[in-house]
Amino acid sequence: MRIENIVLKQLVNNEDYTRKVIPFLNKEYFADVNEQIVFEKIKEFIDKYNKVPTKEALVVELDNDKSLNDDQFKDCGKIVNDLVVDEAPDLQWLVDKTEKFCQEKAVYNAIMESIGIIDGKDKKKTNNAIPDILSEALSVSFDNHVGHDFLDDYEKRYDFYHIKEDKIPFDIELLNIVTKGGLSRKSLNIILAGTGVGKSLAMCHMASANLMDGKNVLYITLEMAEEKIAERIDANLLNVPLSDLCNLTKDMYSKKVERIKKETPGKLIVKEYPTATAGAGHFRHLINELSMKRNFQPDIIYIDYLNIATSMRIKPGMNTGSYTYIKAIAEELRGLAVERNVPIVSATQLNRDGFKSGDPDLTDTSESFGLPATADFMVAMISTDELQSKGQAIFKQLKNRYSDPTLNKRFVVGVDRDKMKLYDVEATAQDNLLDGPIFDKTNSGDKIKQERIGQLNFD
């Protein structure tokens, strides 16, 4: 049965369905002229009487339409008489199929209209109108959400407050604490560090932990070769120093990898792009290809690293500064995270002043302050000779949309560079670093301080 026929039948027999889809339907979506006429009669009746017409009412409306000739009246009458349903399918299935039908028809009609313009058949429109025509067709959607009514939608808001968010957890305790359980989907998360401090090490460790947690991980590298990233992940997962990997026999190596395959249902894909040649558009195409060719949908994406990606909107050579360019890359990657419902983790460099400082902040982000303005979560990874000698690094919260960034503002994490691992350290390592809330000296600041002290005493 044709989808057009199903739509017309449900419009007359299923009021719940009709209320959901009628605002988005267009007579141009129906290829048959007589079906267009019947649809117009249904829509006119609903617009006028705010109810679904009966078949008898449609026949009367057709009979009153003097513009119809006998053949049209007969053919339209036959369509109306056939508007009978034996059993109503699932409502959501109907709505989804109707939305897809509308989207496909809108694109088809837009393409045909554009061809007519190019061929000179449409004398009123020029080629300049084609982008708007195609853009309007591609925007067809049944999403009719127009905002949250604060007073009327309070129950939805209450339910939202009590929904347990689906997060991607870390295997580092304090990272889970400061993010309230891990990284949220549809987010952009940034590690800020100087050259050689361990940005790639941190991302390789996190990717390894995600894999062992059963997640599908996509690691995109724009700096190192795929094999180099895979080597670091091997050292982490196989628990073998990087320098000793080449000493493993093939049999030993195979057994270790096979054991990991048995321990996790997740997959980890590493994809390399040449430096400064790929951006969000390329990554989107890669995800689509992985879905089709390998049945792989990532739960989290790592991009190593953001500053050497490209922008889809701003082309190289255009008269733009690094602020605008890097901000555009960050916005496009965050848009990809929202579109694919995944967290994206990337990194950026410290500028010269930040590299010299032992306590960097957001202003020490290299090239563009637009990046921290776009990111949801941003931490600086700090290393000194003393910390390296202890096998440690300091993480400092710079921006945090998940929780209060002044709590646990700095914390120590263990670093095993030989095995490309991060790990939790003893609680005593945090003694001199844990930062409490910072209160100003205004009346509001004093009030908040007293409330916090009262809460602590109550607990």
Side-chain angles (χ1 to χ4, degrees):
M1 182 179 294
R2 295 166 56 247
I3 183 65
E4 291 92 333
N5 188 253
I6 294 175
V7 170
L8 291 175
K9 284 185 175 183
Q10 295 299 323
L11 286 176
V12 174
N13 294 281
N14 189 335
E15 186 167 357
D16 289 340
Y17 167 82
T18 303
R19 299 290 181 191
K20 285 180 177 291
V21 305
I22 197 67
F24 309 102
L25 289 170
N26 188 314
K27 76 168 186 177
E28 303 299 332
Y29 297 160
F30 296 87
D32 184 84
V33 174
N34 294 318
E35 288 180 342
Q36 289 184 5
I37 295 171
V38 172
F39 170 74
E40 280 194 300
K41 298 302 178 187
I42 294 172
K43 192 170 189 315
E44 288 171 2
F45 190 95
I46 294 171
D47 290 343
K48 186 174 182 179
Y49 300 104
N50 195 30
K51 61 188 297 186
V52 174
T54 62
K55 291 198 301 179
E56 291 76 12
L58 286 177
V59 172
V60 172
E61 293 297 325
L62 289 170
D63 189 45
N64 290 336
D65 189 344
K66 303 306 180 185
S67 66
L68 301 179
N69 59 41
D70 290 343
D71 289 338
Q72 286 178 316
F73 177 78
K74 182 179 178 181
D75 292 338
C76 290
K78 185 177 180 181
I79 292 173
V80 171
N81 286 330
D82 288 340
L83 299 181
V84 179
V85 293
D86 298 324
E87 185 177 349
D90 178 75
L91 178 60
Q92 191 56 53
W93 179 87
L94 279 172
V95 172
D96 290 344
K97 289 297 180 183
T98 305
E99 181 177 25
K100 185 179 179 182
F101 158 70
C102 292
Q103 291 169 338
E104 290 175 348
K105 285 294 184 179
V107 171
Y108 175 81
N109 291 344
I111 292 173
M112 297 307 295
E113 184 179 358
S114 299
I115 292 173
I117 293 172
I118 294 170
D119 290 343
K121 295 177 182 178
D122 191 329
K123 305 300 181 182
K124 296 181 180 179
K125 296 179 181 177
T126 66
N127 289 358
N128 293 332
I130 292 176
D132 289 337
I133 293 171
L134 294 174
S135 178
E136 184 178 351
L138 290 170
S139 67
V140 170
S141 170
F142 279 16
D143 183 9
N144 59 357
H145 178 68
V146 291
H148 175 83
D149 189 310
F150 184 83
L151 296 178
D152 289 343
D153 294 339
Y154 69 89
E155 290 184 350
K156 293 180 182 179
R157 192 164 63 251
Y158 180 84
D159 292 340
F160 171 78
Y161 295 156
H162 293 81
I163 292 174
K164 186 177 180 181
E165 187 177 359
D166 181 20
K167 290 195 169 192
I168 306 294
F170 296 97
D171 66 338
I172 303 297
E173 182 181 6
L174 275 165
L175 281 172
N176 279 328
I177 290 173
V178 300
T179 57
K180 291 190 173 180
L183 299 178
S184 296
R185 295 182 182 273
K186 304 181 181 181
S187 65
L188 177 63
N189 309 274
I190 301 295
I191 300 171
L192 172 67
T195 303
V197 170
K199 299 185 297 295
S200 295
L201 182 155
M203 287 195 288
C204 285
H205 171 83
M206 293 172 185
S208 301
N210 296 148
L211 175 65
M212 297 311 297
D213 194 36
K215 301 294 189 293
N216 284 340
V217 183
L218 175 59
Y219 196 113
I220 296 170
T221 172
L222 297 156
E223 186 176 35
M224 288 185 282
E226 292 175 2
E227 294 78 11
K228 286 294 184 182
I229 294 297
E231 182 182 34
R232 292 174 172 222
I233 293 173
D234 261 338
N236 182 292
L237 292 175
L238 304 184
N239 199 34
V240 175
L242 201 63
S243 58
D244 291 345
L245 281 173
C246 59
N247 297 326
L248 292 175
T249 65
K250 186 173 183 180
D251 183 59
M252 291 171 61
Y253 178 75
S254 299
K255 286 181 178 178
K256 286 178 177 291
V257 174
E258 288 298 325
R259 186 181 70 250
I260 292 171
K261 287 173 67 175
K262 292 177 182 178
E263 291 177 359
T264 177
K267 294 181 180 180
L268 193 155
I269 303 292
V270 182
K271 172 61 179 175
E272 174 191 0
Y273 288 96
T275 301
T277 62
H282 301 85
F283 306 153
R284 183 178 290 107
H285 178 70
L286 171 63
I287 295 168
N288 290 336
E289 276 201 307
L290 288 171
S291 177
M292 291 186 293
K293 296 177 180 178
R294 297 196 184 182
N295 194 29
F296 175 91
Q297 290 287 348
D299 295 305
I300 186 169
I301 300 172
Y302 292 86
I303 299 172
D304 192 0
Y305 61 98
L306 185 144
N307 293 60
I308 52 178
T310 59
S311 169
M312 297 185 299
R313 296 175 291 170
I314 302 176
K315 303 304 179 186
M318 293 179 65
N319 188 24
T320 55
S322 61
Y323 174 92
T324 303
Y325 191 70
I326 299 301
K327 188 173 190 296
I329 295 172
E331 290 171 345
E332 290 162 15
L333 291 181
R334 192 176 188 283
L336 179 65
V338 172
E339 176 188 322
R340 297 295 175 168
N341 192 35
V342 298
I344 288 181
V345 180
S346 191
T348 190
Q349 295 274 17
L350 283 167
N351 60 23
R352 184 177 300 177
D353 291 338
F355 191 75
K356 294 177 182 177
S357 170
D359 189 31
D361 57 30
L362 287 177
T363 60
D364 294 315
T365 305
S366 68
E367 298 190 88
S368 175
F369 195 71
L371 171 54
T374 306
D376 296 282
F377 179 65
M378 194 164 177
V379 291
M381 189 173 177
I382 305 167
S383 180
T384 64
D385 291 340
E386 182 183 356
L387 287 168
Q388 286 189 18
S389 68
K390 295 179 179 179
Q392 296 176 347
I394 292 175
F395 276 59
K396 177 184 177 183
Q397 294 187 70
L398 302 178
K399 181 178 181 180
N400 192 341
R401 287 177 175 164
Y402 305 132
S403 65
D404 185 351
T406 63
L407 298 175
N408 297 310
K409 189 173 184 65
R410 298 174 186 82
F411 52 92
V412 176
V413 172
V415 181
D416 185 341
R417 293 184 180 276
D418 289 338
K419 296 181 180 179
M420 295 289 131
K421 286 179 179 285
L422 302 178
Y423 57 90
D424 291 315
V425 295
E426 296 291 334
T428 54
Q430 315 292 346
D431 288 346
N432 297 322
L433 290 171
L434 291 176
D435 292 75
I438 299 173
F439 301 105
D440 60 35
K441 297 181 180 180
T442 64
N443 291 335
S444 296
D446 289 338
K447 182 179 178 181
I448 294 171
K449 182 176 181 180
Q450 293 304 319
E451 288 176 351
R452 291 280 183 93
I453 293 172
Q455 182 64 41
L456 290 172
N457 291 335
F458 177 78
D459 292 340

